[in-house]
Amino acid sequence: MTESGLGTSMASSGQTESVWAYRQIVALNNPQPIIQYGALTVGSGTTGTYTFTGLTPYTSTSSFVVNVTMADAPAAQLYATIVSTSSFTIGWQSAGSGTQKVYWTTIGT
């Protein structure tokens, strides 16, 4: 894909297309996505839940997604459930007996 006005410093056509798509989003005045992330120590035990309440609020509960990843071993089965525009719950099972460290990311509008 070729877009006039783009520099020739792009390494691949995929990057060029990404820049072009970003410019179209900005040009159409679409809301910019809000990305929030962090790391939590969410308690101890092989099974549990933890509710995080510190998000900058999103527009609605359907306007963002949550991704969670174990940051320590042994890895657990994880899930995240959106509770409100500014909070989500992390749940885990099959983890080690100590505290659980989790990385989280939210993205939306």
Side-chain angles (χ1 to χ4, degrees):
M1 170 174 248
T2 303
E3 170 69 18
S4 64
L6 289 180
T8 57
S9 62
M10 294 295 160
S12 70
S13 64
Q15 287 177 335
T16 301
E17 291 167 1
S18 294
V19 170
W20 180 85
Y22 174 77
R23 287 183 178 178
Q24 293 305 307
I25 290 169
V26 171
L28 297 173
N29 292 320
N30 287 322
Q32 296 298 301
I34 299 169
I35 301 169
Q36 300 177 66
Y37 60 92
L40 296 168
T41 300
V42 294
S44 61
T46 59
T47 302
T49 61
Y50 176 85
T51 300
F52 179 76
T53 59
L55 293 176
T56 297
Y58 287 97
T59 306
S60 70
T61 56
S62 61
S63 71
F64 73 102
V65 296
V66 179
N67 184 15
V68 291
T69 306
M70 283 297 289
D72 55 7
Q77 297 172 7
L78 291 175
Y79 69 87
T81 303
I82 295 170
V83 176
S84 71
T85 59
S86 60
S87 65
F88 60 89
T89 295
I90 297 169
W92 66 91
Q93 65 182 19
S94 303
S97 60
T99 59
Q100 312 306 322
K101 187 171 181 184
V102 176
Y103 295 128
W104 60 271
T105 306
T106 60
I107 184 169
T109 57

